[in-house]
Amino acid sequence: MSVSPAYTCLSCRLKTLVVSAPRTSRRQLHASASYAARKPSFPNVSASKMGLLPQDTGPSINDSRIKPYSENEKALLAKKYTPDQLEAIYAGETAISDEDLRTQGRARTDPMRISYFDDFSKIRPIIDHPAEIPTGGAKEEDVGKFLKSTEPVKAPAPTREAPSRQQVAESTDPRILRLSQQTGMTPQQISKLRVKNLVNHRVVNQTRMGKIQSLYFLTIAGNEDGMLGIGEGKAAEDEDGRRQAMMNAIRNMKPVPRYEERTIYGEVEAKVGASVVQLSARAPGFGNRCQHLIYELARAAGIQDLAARTPRSRNKMNVVKAAFEALMAQRLPEDVARARGRKMVDVRKVYYGGQVY
C-alpha cells in the first residue's frame, strides 16, 4: 500500500525552490558579456614597445649651432646693442642649458618654418612689417644698408591731402568692407554702382502672437556696363530693409549679354507667376521704349536700344524678376552655331568693314 506524500502549501514549495536553485547573474539586455566578466584578449603592450613609434621625432639641433660667442662676435654685438641689452641676451641664453637643447630641441621641417634662430638683422617680407625704402635719388648701396639696419622705421605723419590707411578704414562702413571682400570690388567701385529701389510695400505676417508688420524692398544694382543684379530685403525698419536689399542686389550681380554693347540678342521672353515679359532688340537710336521698371533695369545694365511688352499681369515684383530672367536667358549666336555644327562669321565686318549704319 503506497503512502501519499504529505501535503505542502504553495508558498512553502516556492521557498524550497528559491533556496535550492543556484544563484545566477542578472540578465543583461544585450548579448555581450558584462564589463566585469570581460578579459582582454591580448596583454596591454604600449606602441613604443611594439616599435610602432619612431624613436627620433625630428632632426635635433646640431652642436655646431650651440657654441659660445667668439670675441669677434661679441665685438659685433656691442656695436648694435647697448651693454644692458647684451647683459639681457647673455642672461637669457645661459638660462637654457645646452643639454636640454640637444635632447629636447627639435628643428622644424615644415614649409612654414623660420629659416633663422636668432638672426634678426635682416628684414623678412612675410614675417616682419614692411619698411619704406628711401627714395629721391638714393644709391643702391644706401638702400641695401637701409634694409639691413635694425632700427625701427618711423611711418610718415598723415597729411590732410593723403589720409592714412587707418583713417580710410575707420571712415568706411564695416558693412561695405565686408561686401567688398565678398564681391572682390573696392569700396570706390561699390560707391559708383547704380542702385535704385523699384518696389516697396508693407507686408503683414499673421502668427499666433498677432500680426507682425514689416517692410519689403526690391532693389536693382548695376555698373551700366553689362553687370546687373536684383536683391530683396525685408525688415521692421525702413533703413534696415533698404540696406539689406541693396547688399543682396550687389552680391547677386551677373553679366548680361549685350549685342554691340547696346542691346540684346533678338527676342526673349520670360514668365514669373502670372507676369510675362517680352523683350526685343532694336536698331541704334531707338532708345529704351518700355515701362519704367524695365527701363531702370536696362539703364543699370547698360542697354540703350530695347522694346518691351507685358501682355499679362503687371505685378511690379514679378515684372522685375521676369525681365531679369529674360535678360539672363538670351541665346547667343555662338551657342546656336556650335549646336548646329556651323562656323559663325560677321559678314558686315568682312564686306562693309563694320560700317552699316
Side-chain angles (χ1 to χ4, degrees):
M1 182 176 180
S2 61
V3 180
S4 61
Y7 175 78
T8 56
C9 63
L10 182 59
S11 61
C12 296
R13 292 180 188 179
L14 294 176
K15 290 179 181 180
T16 56
L17 290 175
V18 172
V19 172
S20 60
R23 300 187 63 181
T24 58
S25 60
R26 183 178 298 178
R27 181 185 176 187
Q28 301 291 331
L29 298 178
H30 48 80
S32 60
S34 61
Y35 182 78
R38 292 182 184 177
K39 291 183 179 180
S41 58
F42 53 87
N44 188 10
V45 181
S46 60
S48 59
K49 294 181 180 180
M50 297 175 64
L52 299 179
L53 295 179
Q55 299 296 330
D56 191 5
T57 58
S60 60
I61 296 179
N62 203 356
D63 290 345
S64 61
R65 297 185 180 182
I66 308 174
K67 57 183 181 180
Y69 289 113
S70 61
E71 297 298 332
N72 189 17
E73 292 175 348
K74 291 182 178 180
L76 293 176
L77 291 174
K79 295 181 180 180
K80 291 183 174 294
Y81 300 100
T82 61
D84 296 339
Q85 293 176 343
L86 286 176
E87 186 178 355
I89 291 173
Y90 296 150
E93 293 186 354
T94 54
I96 303 175
S97 62
D98 298 344
E99 188 64 25
D100 293 341
L101 287 177
R102 294 188 183 93
T103 56
Q104 301 180 12
R106 300 294 175 184
R108 292 174 55 179
T109 58
D110 55 292
M112 300 302 296
R113 67 183 183 275
I114 300 177
S115 59
Y116 60 92
F117 284 89
D118 56 352
D119 185 11
F120 297 97
S121 61
K122 298 180 180 179
I123 297 177
R124 309 286 175 168
I126 299 178
I127 303 174
D128 301 331
H129 293 286
E132 295 186 2
I133 302 177
T135 56
K139 298 181 181 179
E140 186 177 358
E141 299 177 358
D142 298 337
V143 174
K145 292 180 181 179
F146 176 81
L147 293 177
K148 293 182 180 179
S149 63
T150 57
E151 298 179 358
V153 181
K154 296 182 179 180
T159 59
R160 295 183 179 179
E161 292 77 14
S164 64
R165 187 177 302 175
Q166 183 178 2
Q167 292 178 353
V168 173
E170 291 177 355
S171 61
T172 308
D173 190 359
R175 302 184 188 91
I176 300 299
L177 293 179
R178 184 178 179 182
L179 185 63
S180 175
Q181 295 173 356
Q182 294 174 347
T183 59
M185 296 185 295
T186 61
Q188 291 76 14
Q189 294 175 346
I190 294 176
S191 62
K192 294 180 181 179
L193 295 177
R194 181 176 182 81
V195 180
K196 189 173 183 61
N197 180 40
L198 298 183
V199 182
N200 62 317
H201 52 78
R202 184 176 63 91
V203 294
V204 179
N205 183 22
Q206 180 67 47
T207 63
R208 62 188 182 90
M209 303 299 295
K211 295 182 179 180
I212 300 178
Q213 301 182 5
S214 58
L215 298 175
Y216 171 84
F217 297 91
L218 180 64
T219 306
I220 63 171
N223 62 347
E224 300 183 10
D225 193 18
M227 294 291 292
L228 180 66
I230 62 174
E232 298 174 284
K234 186 169 65 173
E237 298 294 333
D238 182 89
E239 183 180 357
D240 297 339
R242 291 179 183 274
R243 184 187 301 109
Q244 183 180 358
M246 182 193 68
M247 297 292 184
N248 293 333
I250 297 175
R251 291 191 194 97
N252 299 332
M253 287 176 57
K254 298 179 181 179
V256 177
R258 295 184 301 166
Y259 177 69
E260 295 180 346
E261 296 183 356
R262 62 175 183 83
T263 185
I264 64 175
Y265 288 88
E267 298 182 359
V268 289
E269 181 177 344
K271 180 177 182 294
V272 174
S275 300
V276 176
V277 174
Q278 300 172 353
L279 303 180
S280 303
R282 289 294 182 264
F286 183 84
N288 295 328
R289 301 185 187 180
C290 47
Q291 61 163 295
H292 69 284
L293 298 175
I294 304 177
Y295 175 86
E296 294 296 340
L297 279 170
R299 188 176 180 182
I303 297 175
Q304 303 171 4
D305 304 309
L306 183 70
R309 293 180 68 250
T310 54
R312 294 186 59 184
S313 172
R314 297 183 180 179
N315 181 275
K316 294 183 178 181
M317 182 176 61
N318 292 339
V319 166
V320 173
K321 293 181 180 180
F324 182 78
E325 290 186 7
L327 291 174
M328 293 295 132
Q330 299 182 55
R331 199 175 181 192
L332 302 181
E334 294 84 359
D335 299 338
V336 177
R338 191 181 300 109
R340 297 181 180 180
R342 302 289 182 178
K343 182 178 180 181
M344 190 183 69
V345 178
D346 193 348
V347 182
R348 299 175 307 168
K349 292 184 179 180
V350 175
Y351 292 97
Y352 304 102
Q355 299 178 0
V356 294
Y357 300 116

